[in-house]
Each structure stands twice: as C-alpha cells, then as structure tokens.
Amino acid sequence: MKKILSMVALLFAFTTVLAACGAADQNNEETAGEEEAAEASDSLLAKVQAEGKLLIGTEGTYPPFTFHDESGELTGFDVELAREVADRLGVEAEFMETQWDAMFAGLDAERFDMIANQVGIREDRLEKYDFSDHYITSTAVVVTHEDNEEINSFEDIEGKKSAQSLTSNYADLAREYNAEIVGVDGFNQAIELLNSKRVDVTINDNLSVLDFLNNRPNAPIKMVAEHEDAAQSGFMFRKGNEELVEAVNEALAEIIEDGTYEDISKKWFGEDVLN
C-alpha cells in the first residue's frame, strides 16, 4: 500500500513539474512576442506613420535645392522630392530649417527623422550615418564663353585664366591643370567675368550651371567638359533605422519609375540629373 501511495505521489509531482514548465514556456513566448511588438512600435518608421509626419532637416538657404521663393514659401529640388517621398509614405513632410553646421547635430539629437539637403554620400559619413539610394549626381565641369573653340577638356585650361573662389575645391582642381586663377566671390561673379571675356573659363558644379542656364537660357556660356569623378547625394538618417531607409528607397524607386522624378528634375535643371 505504501509503495502504491509513493508512486502516486511521485506521478503527481512529475505532472506538476511538466505543467509548470509548459506554463513557463508559454510565458516566455508571450514575453518574447511582447518585446518584439514593443520593438516594432519603437521603430522610427512606426513612429512616423503613427504621428503622420516625417521631420526633415534642411537649410532653406541653398538654391536651387532648398530655399524660399519670392512669396516666402520653402521650395527647391530637394524640398519637392522629399515632399513626394513623404506623400508616398502616406505622411506629411514637416521641414525644420537650420544652418548646415547644426544640421548633423540636429539629426543626432533626434530633432529630425532625416536630412534633405544635398548631402554627399561619402565614406566618412557612412561610418556614422545611413543614406537612401542616391537621388542626384553632380560633377565638376569646365564652362567657357559660347564663342570658345579652343577649350574642350580639362587639359586645355593649362595657362588659361580661370575664375574661381580661391579656397574652393574647384580652384584646387583648376590649379591641378595649371590654370591661372582669377579670384572671385562666387559663381555669379565668375559668370560675369566669363560673359565679358575677361577670363577664359570657370570650373564649377554642373548642377549650379544647369540651374543658371535653366533660368537664363540665353546666357552666352556653355559646358565643354565634365570631370570623371562624380559625387552623389542622398537623404541621410541616423543608423539603426533600416525600416525607414528601406521605405524611403521604395518610394524613391516608385518616383523614378513612374516619371515623377524626371518631371521634378527637368523643372529645376532642364534635364534628368539622377545619373
């Protein structure tokens, strides 16, 4: 009788342990599921969708990419493209303007969800930030007077007068090709000297030249050579927000595929500037 009672007690204890293990496993599964749900709800994309707005850092003083028009409205190539991306995400684009030097710090401090301001995709930045797929490509170009017949390449500017901002990358490039540097305050002054034939060339960003020609198609200048090194820009994000980056990339792909990108590009530059 004692043996039977002992066996019954042992069987009961074993059954109790199994039940406890099963309950523990279920609790662990529920906890893991709750943690996954919490992580999903804490993602930046989920936050953007829940709040219905995408916070975008930009300068607002850098035409034709991000600036205020005559009516005071924020506009520009980057602004218009970012608004289209936000629209494809089903949210509103809310721009937060700041100076360039403070823009990266603002992203770090989570004041913005992304930056739209012609930020070049560079190795040093990729170490700290994530970027969308590129949405624009720029390169250095040689610009001459329309009457020029001698200068057709970077090599041809040797010994020629080149109007450049003295500390710019473009001045360094002109020096590499042994041009004679004529100092100017900026792009507009360089074009004025070129128009009056007081200099032979200027080296500048092709996007700036395209914007100028788009607004002044009768200006007597032309681009005669492009440098082989191109720079690409994209929307910039804090690391760890892969879901938002992926969603933005999907929106960009749609914008490019359905022709919206080309329309925006031609509006601001007169041609497609993606590649």
Side-chain angles (χ1 to χ4, degrees), residues 69-118:
D69 61 19
E70 294 178 356
S71 68
E73 182 181 355
L74 182 67
T75 188
F77 175 79
D78 286 49
V79 170
E80 194 165 337
L81 189 60
R83 282 197 177 115
E84 186 66 30
V85 166
D87 187 58
R88 303 291 175 112
L89 295 180
V91 299
E92 181 181 353
E94 183 173 317
F95 292 92
M96 306 179 71
E97 296 176 52
T98 186
Q99 295 178 342
W100 172 265
D101 293 340
M103 198 174 304
F104 287 38
L107 185 66
D108 294 339
E110 301 185 9
R111 289 182 56 213
F112 327 128
D113 302 320
M114 78 177 196
I115 289 176
N117 204 95
Q118 283 296 295

Side-chain angles (χ1 to χ4, degrees), residues 184-195 204 212 216:
V184 295
D185 293 331
F187 177 79
N188 289 335
Q189 188 180 0
I191 296 300
E192 287 176 9
L193 293 179
L194 196 58
N195 285 343
N204 216 291
F212 177 80
R216 292 182 56 185

Side-chain angles (χ1 to χ4, degrees), residues 127-159:
E127 291 178 3
K128 185 174 181 180
Y129 301 99
D130 284 334
F131 281 85
S132 69
D133 295 335
H134 82 276
Y135 59 80
I136 197 167
T137 300
S138 63
T139 185
V141 292
V142 175
V143 185
T144 69
H145 194 280
E146 65 180 6
D147 294 339
N148 162 71
E149 298 294 340
E150 298 179 5
I151 301 171
N152 298 291
S153 68
F154 277 83
E155 288 74 16
D156 291 338
I157 72 172
E158 181 175 356

Side-chain angles (χ1 to χ4, degrees), residues 140 142 153-160 162 169-181 201 203 225-229:
V142 175
S153 68
F154 277 83
E155 288 74 16
D156 291 338
I157 72 172
E158 181 175 356
K160 304 295 186 181
S162 185
N169 293 339
Y170 300 120
D172 292 339
L173 191 57
R175 293 186 186 100
E176 282 183 33
Y177 288 93
N178 300 311
E180 178 187 339
I181 305 300
V201 301
I203 298 175
E226 286 191 358
H227 200 267
E228 59 183 9
D229 293 334

Side-chain angles (χ1 to χ4, degrees), residues 197-208:
K197 299 184 179 181
R198 284 178 285 174
V199 297
D200 302 298
V201 301
T202 184
I203 298 175
N204 216 291
D205 181 272
N206 73 310
L207 299 177
S208 297

